[in-house]
Amino acid sequence: MSRPSLMPVFDGHNDVLLRLMRGRLQPEKAFLEGDNIGHLDWPRMRQGGFFGGFFAVYVPSEELGVDVDTLMTRSEYDVPLPPVLDLGPSQRVTVQMASILIRIERASKGEVKICRSAADIRYCLDNGKLAAILHIEGAEGIDPDLAMLDVLYESGLRSIGPVWSRPNIFGHGVPFRYPSTPDTGPGLTERGRELVRACNRLKIMVDLSHLNEKGFWDVARLSDAPLVATHSNAHAVCPHSRNLTDKQLAAIRESRGMVGVNFATSFIRPDGQRSDDTPLEEMIRHMDHLIEHVGVDGVGLGSDFDGATIPAEIGDVRGLPRLVEAMRRHGYDEATLRKLCYENWINVLERTWGR
């Protein structure tokens, strides 16, 4: 059987909506026509085989007053946690970013679809469309009564990470700390537990990336859905607080869940450094470890495009075929490649959403 020239890729995480919100160009025009800024736009996605993924709505924190890039070049570092954000400004940014994706869909003339089911994703795969999942990364825009959750759900929200790497009313995120375990603070608050229960009722996926270890186990006890970390790596390979321990990976496997391999170099490299001089073989070490501990049906890609320093060998989304070829050279057969690149994501979403 001949090898496909371009492997389809469904991706667990990107921050293009934040980049577009901060840009000077009209967001939908910049994305659909291509602006060649950052890692992602629709023309470059097509060149790289990227047909879909989770589009994060993320409310940025104020500057910390420290040079994070310099800090993360040290042999050990601990980036301070940003302060709690206020609800009002967070809601305004959340609505603004969600509206960018909605406007992209409207302006695309059918080329982009906000997906609410696994069937929607399969339709996009079969018809050359972009499958976009509206995702919340850090629930600062969700009010204590969860009214905004209902509004966002009706707008297409199907995935939510209760926290980013900072505290909020729902729980505690892990700091960017190396070396460190993910056991860095308290677990979910009572409001956080209510959020998880509400997501289970609505069939919204709960994303465990950025959640600390106690919060992870709180979700594991509460949730009746597969445990999913959209963009996290193996702590045994890189001992960073953002990565998952083997015990956590075993729980994800038991739940028939999923881990998306993060392209951020500080979570890949054994030395925890933020440097694009990171060989693709280092990423594949994480894939091997995750496959060993979660299973070949529970591993995918979670790039963090437009939100991280990624290996120079990838560069931007057009470099995905180079990653796929490195995986192929490593010994992954075509059936395994299809699972890692897109099939596992579609299947876990079907198990989570119930359709």
CSV table of all heavy atoms in Angstrom, one decimal, residues 184-205:
chain,number,residue,atom,x,y,z
A,184,THR,N,1.5,20.8,43.1
A,184,THR,CA,2.0,22.1,43.4
A,184,THR,C,1.0,23.0,44.2
A,184,THR,O,1.2,24.1,44.5
A,184,THR,CB,2.3,22.9,42.1
A,184,THR,OG1,1.1,23.0,41.3
A,184,THR,CG2,3.4,22.3,41.3
A,185,GLY,N,-0.2,22.4,44.7
A,185,GLY,CA,-1.1,23.2,45.4
A,185,GLY,C,-2.4,22.5,45.6
A,185,GLY,O,-2.5,21.3,45.4
A,186,PRO,N,-3.4,23.2,46.1
A,186,PRO,CA,-4.7,22.6,46.4
A,186,PRO,C,-5.4,22.2,45.1
A,186,PRO,O,-5.0,22.5,44.0
A,186,PRO,CB,-5.5,23.8,47.1
A,186,PRO,CG,-4.5,24.8,47.4
A,186,PRO,CD,-3.4,24.7,46.5
A,187,GLY,N,-6.5,21.4,45.3
A,187,GLY,CA,-7.2,20.9,44.2
A,187,GLY,C,-8.4,21.8,43.8
A,187,GLY,O,-8.3,23.0,43.9
A,188,LEU,N,-9.4,21.2,43.2
A,188,LEU,CA,-10.6,22.0,42.8
A,188,LEU,C,-11.3,22.6,44.0
A,188,LEU,O,-11.4,22.0,45.1
A,188,LEU,CB,-11.6,21.1,42.0
A,188,LEU,CG,-11.2,20.5,40.7
A,188,LEU,CD1,-12.3,19.6,40.2
A,188,LEU,CD2,-10.8,21.5,39.7
A,189,THR,N,-11.9,23.8,43.8
A,189,THR,CA,-12.8,24.4,44.7
A,189,THR,C,-14.2,23.7,44.6
A,189,THR,O,-14.4,22.9,43.7
A,189,THR,CB,-12.9,25.9,44.5
A,189,THR,OG1,-13.5,26.1,43.3
A,189,THR,CG2,-11.5,26.5,44.6
A,190,GLU,N,-15.1,24.1,45.5
A,190,GLU,CA,-16.4,23.5,45.3
A,190,GLU,C,-17.1,24.0,44.0
A,190,GLU,O,-17.8,23.3,43.4
A,190,GLU,CB,-17.3,24.0,46.5
A,190,GLU,CG,-18.7,23.4,46.5
A,190,GLU,CD,-18.8,21.9,46.3
A,190,GLU,OE1,-18.0,21.2,46.9
A,190,GLU,OE2,-19.6,21.5,45.5
A,191,ARG,N,-16.8,25.3,43.7
A,191,ARG,CA,-17.2,25.7,42.4
A,191,ARG,C,-16.6,25.0,41.2
A,191,ARG,O,-17.3,24.7,40.2
A,191,ARG,CB,-17.0,27.2,42.2
A,191,ARG,CG,-17.9,28.1,43.1
A,191,ARG,CD,-17.4,29.5,43.1
A,191,ARG,NE,-18.3,30.4,43.8
A,191,ARG,CZ,-18.0,31.6,44.3
A,191,ARG,NH1,-16.8,32.1,44.1
A,191,ARG,NH2,-18.9,32.4,44.9
A,192,GLY,N,-15.4,24.6,41.4
A,192,GLY,CA,-14.7,23.8,40.4
A,192,GLY,C,-15.4,22.4,40.2
A,192,GLY,O,-15.6,21.9,39.1
A,193,ARG,N,-15.8,21.8,41.3
A,193,ARG,CA,-16.4,20.5,41.3
A,193,ARG,C,-17.8,20.7,40.6
A,193,ARG,O,-18.2,19.8,39.8
A,193,ARG,CB,-16.6,19.9,42.7
A,193,ARG,CG,-15.2,19.5,43.2
A,193,ARG,CD,-15.4,18.7,44.5
A,193,ARG,NE,-15.6,19.6,45.7
A,193,ARG,CZ,-14.7,20.2,46.4
A,193,ARG,NH1,-13.4,20.0,46.1
A,193,ARG,NH2,-15.0,21.0,47.4
A,194,GLU,N,-18.5,21.8,40.9
A,194,GLU,CA,-19.8,22.1,40.2
A,194,GLU,C,-19.6,22.3,38.7
A,194,GLU,O,-20.4,21.8,37.9
A,194,GLU,CB,-20.4,23.3,40.8
A,194,GLU,CG,-20.9,23.2,42.2
A,194,GLU,CD,-21.4,24.5,42.9
A,194,GLU,OE1,-21.3,25.5,42.2
A,194,GLU,OE2,-21.7,24.4,44.1
A,195,LEU,N,-18.5,22.9,38.3
A,195,LEU,CA,-18.2,23.1,36.9
A,195,LEU,C,-18.0,21.7,36.2
A,195,LEU,O,-18.5,21.5,35.1
A,195,LEU,CB,-17.0,24.0,36.7
A,195,LEU,CG,-16.5,24.2,35.3
A,195,LEU,CD1,-17.5,24.9,34.4
A,195,LEU,CD2,-15.2,24.9,35.2
A,196,VAL,N,-17.3,20.8,36.8
A,196,VAL,CA,-17.0,19.5,36.2
A,196,VAL,C,-18.4,18.8,36.1
A,196,VAL,O,-18.6,18.1,35.0
A,196,VAL,CB,-16.0,18.7,37.1
A,196,VAL,CG1,-15.9,17.2,36.6
A,196,VAL,CG2,-14.6,19.3,37.0
A,197,ARG,N,-19.2,18.8,37.1
A,197,ARG,CA,-20.5,18.1,37.0
A,197,ARG,C,-21.3,18.7,35.9
A,197,ARG,O,-22.0,18.0,35.2
A,197,ARG,CB,-21.2,18.2,38.4
A,197,ARG,CG,-20.5,17.5,39.5
A,197,ARG,CD,-21.4,17.6,40.8
A,197,ARG,NE,-20.7,17.1,42.0
A,197,ARG,CZ,-20.2,17.9,42.9
A,197,ARG,NH1,-20.4,19.3,42.8
A,197,ARG,NH2,-19.5,17.5,43.9
A,198,ALA,N,-21.3,20.0,35.8
A,198,ALA,CA,-22.1,20.7,34.7
A,198,ALA,C,-21.6,20.3,33.3
A,198,ALA,O,-22.3,20.0,32.4
A,198,ALA,CB,-22.1,22.2,34.9
A,199,CYS,N,-20.2,20.2,33.2
A,199,CYS,CA,-19.7,19.8,31.9
A,199,CYS,C,-20.1,18.3,31.6
A,199,CYS,O,-20.3,18.0,30.4
A,199,CYS,CB,-18.1,19.9,32.0
A,199,CYS,SG,-17.6,21.6,31.9
A,200,ASN,N,-20.1,17.5,32.6
A,200,ASN,CA,-20.5,16.1,32.4
A,200,ASN,C,-22.0,16.1,31.9
A,200,ASN,O,-22.3,15.3,31.0
A,200,ASN,CB,-20.4,15.3,33.6
A,200,ASN,CG,-19.0,14.8,33.9
A,200,ASN,OD1,-18.7,14.1,34.8
A,200,ASN,ND2,-18.0,15.1,33.0
A,201,ARG,N,-22.8,16.9,32.5
A,201,ARG,CA,-24.2,16.9,32.1
A,201,ARG,C,-24.4,17.4,30.6
A,201,ARG,O,-25.2,16.9,29.9
A,201,ARG,CB,-25.0,17.8,33.0
A,201,ARG,CG,-25.3,17.2,34.4
A,201,ARG,CD,-26.4,18.0,35.1
A,201,ARG,NE,-26.0,19.4,35.3
A,201,ARG,CZ,-25.4,19.9,36.3
A,201,ARG,NH1,-24.9,19.1,37.3
A,201,ARG,NH2,-25.2,21.2,36.4
A,202,LEU,N,-23.6,18.4,30.3
A,202,LEU,CA,-23.7,19.0,28.9
A,202,LEU,C,-22.9,18.2,27.9
A,202,LEU,O,-22.9,18.6,26.7
A,202,LEU,CB,-23.3,20.5,29.0
A,202,LEU,CG,-24.2,21.4,29.7
A,202,LEU,CD1,-23.5,22.8,29.9
A,202,LEU,CD2,-25.5,21.6,29.0
A,203,LYS,N,-22.1,17.3,28.3
A,203,LYS,CA,-21.2,16.5,27.4
A,203,LYS,C,-20.1,17.5,26.9
A,203,LYS,O,-19.7,17.4,25.7
A,203,LYS,CB,-21.9,15.8,26.3
A,203,LYS,CG,-23.0,14.9,26.8
A,203,LYS,CD,-22.4,13.7,27.6
A,203,LYS,CE,-23.5,12.7,28.0
A,203,LYS,NZ,-23.0,11.6,28.8
A,204,ILE,N,-19.6,18.4,27.7
A,204,ILE,CA,-18.4,19.2,27.4
A,204,ILE,C,-17.2,18.5,27.9
A,204,ILE,O,-17.1,18.1,29.1
A,204,ILE,CB,-18.6,20.6,28.0
A,204,ILE,CG1,-19.8,21.4,27.5
A,204,ILE,CG2,-17.3,21.4,27.8
A,204,ILE,CD1,-20.0,22.7,28.2
A,205,MET,N,-16.2,18.4,27.1
A,205,MET,CA,-14.9,17.7,27.5
A,205,MET,C,-14.2,18.6,28.5
A,205,MET,O,-14.1,19.8,28.4
A,205,MET,CB,-14.0,17.5,26.3
A,205,MET,CG,-12.9,16.6,26.6
A,205,MET,SD,-11.7,16.6,25.2
A,205,MET,CE,-10.7,18.0,25.6
